[in-house]
């Protein structure tokens, strides 16, 4: 991610349907208050008393992000999502639950990672990202060597990263690339370690749709 790249782009539509009036109002009022800074920043400056800093990349409708933030009010959660409908849904969840420990980057996650200091993040979630199943589209997948390098840069030693997918090929793709990285370890010891949802996982409506070709797989990596 530190290497030069073309204009930041999230493939697909940035808006798929009209945003509901209440959500649109929150986009104008709440979002500017909780938007992550547009310049390089230290997350600890946003919440000096936060016990940890977590990031969710591609938070979809924000259900998981909001639930984790509600469970751990002592943690600062930063979510990245380029799709406006997802951001609109997320700000509604945050408003309804009165959550103040969340910041949102409404754009490409690469730009967010580039603005964070080295070793400033304790945990990362990448849950059910777009699998781009056609071989000619694999280059659009989020999990690429440069993304893994960027994630390794911002994660603290011992920091954790959870990847989940219900597409078998994307699971294999991800595992192969993380195992090839010198920065991450995969401490799984038995099939249940990846076949069963972790105790702290929050199931979302998207996950329940089972749109993939396999049961959900959870890969928890540790920053060396």
């Amino acid at each position: 991610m530190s290497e030069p790249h073309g204009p930041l782009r999230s493939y697909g539509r940035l808006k798929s349907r009209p945003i509901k009036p209440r959500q649109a109002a929150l986009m104008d009022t709440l979002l500017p208050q909780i938007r992550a800074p547009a310049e390089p920043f230290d997350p600890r400056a946003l919440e000096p008393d936060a016990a940890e800093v977590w990031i969710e990349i591609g938070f979809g409708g924000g259900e998981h992000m909001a639930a984790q933030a509600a469970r751990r009010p002592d943690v600062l959660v930063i979510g990245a999502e380029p799709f406006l409908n997802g951001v609109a849904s997320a700000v509604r969840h945050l408003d309804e639950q009165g959550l103040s420990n969340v910041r949102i980057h409404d754009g490409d996650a690469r730009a967010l990672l580039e603005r964070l200091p080295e070793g400033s993040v304790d945990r990362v979630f990448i849950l059910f990202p777009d699998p781009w199943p056609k071989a000619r589209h694999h280059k659009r997948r989020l999990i690429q060597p440069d993304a893994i390098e960027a994630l390794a840069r911002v994660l603290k030693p011992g920091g954790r990263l959870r990847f989940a997918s219900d597409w078998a090929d994307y699971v294999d793709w991800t595992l192969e690339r993380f195992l090839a990285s010198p920065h991450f370890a995969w401490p799984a010891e038995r099939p249940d370690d990846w076949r069963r949802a972790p105790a702290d996982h929050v199931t979302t409506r998207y996950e329940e749709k089972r749109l993939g070709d396999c049961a959900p797989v959870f890969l928890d990596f540790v920053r060396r």
Side-chain angles (χ1 to χ4, degrees), residues 200-212:
D200 64 346
H201 176 63
V202 177
T203 302
T204 65
R205 286 177 294 174
Y206 177 85
E207 180 183 344
E208 290 175 340
K209 293 178 181 179
R210 297 296 179 95
L211 300 176

Side-chain angles (χ1 to χ4, degrees), residues 99-218:
L99 299 173
S100 60
N101 59 325
V102 177
R103 300 293 182 272
I104 287 180
H105 169 69
D106 48 331
D108 194 295
R110 293 179 298 173
L112 173 64
L113 294 178
E114 288 175 351
R115 296 203 292 269
L116 294 173
E118 182 177 343
S120 59
V121 175
D122 297 271
R123 194 171 189 187
V124 174
F125 296 97
I126 304 174
L127 306 179
F128 304 95
D130 195 322
W132 296 106
K134 295 182 180 179
R136 68 176 182 272
H137 292 154
H138 284 181
K139 63 181 180 293
R140 299 182 178 182
R141 287 177 167 175
L142 174 64
I143 304 302
Q144 304 288 349
D146 63 336
I148 294 173
E149 286 291 323
L151 291 164
R153 186 186 69 81
V154 301
L155 268 171
K156 295 178 179 179
R160 296 164 294 162
L161 184 149
R162 175 173 298 160
F163 172 92
S165 180
D166 53 4
W167 286 87
D169 177 69
Y170 202 3
V171 172
D172 292 342
W173 167 285
T174 298
L175 188 57
E176 178 183 353
R177 281 154 182 76
F178 270 94
L179 291 181
S181 168
H183 305 301
F184 288 94
W186 185 45
E189 297 178 346
R190 57 186 65 86
D192 278 356
D193 289 340
W194 62 87
R195 290 178 180 170
R196 300 182 67 174
D200 64 346
H201 176 63
V202 177
T203 302
T204 65
R205 286 177 294 174
Y206 177 85
E207 180 183 344
E208 290 175 340
K209 293 178 181 179
R210 297 296 179 95
L211 300 176
D213 61 2
C214 70
V217 174
F218 299 88

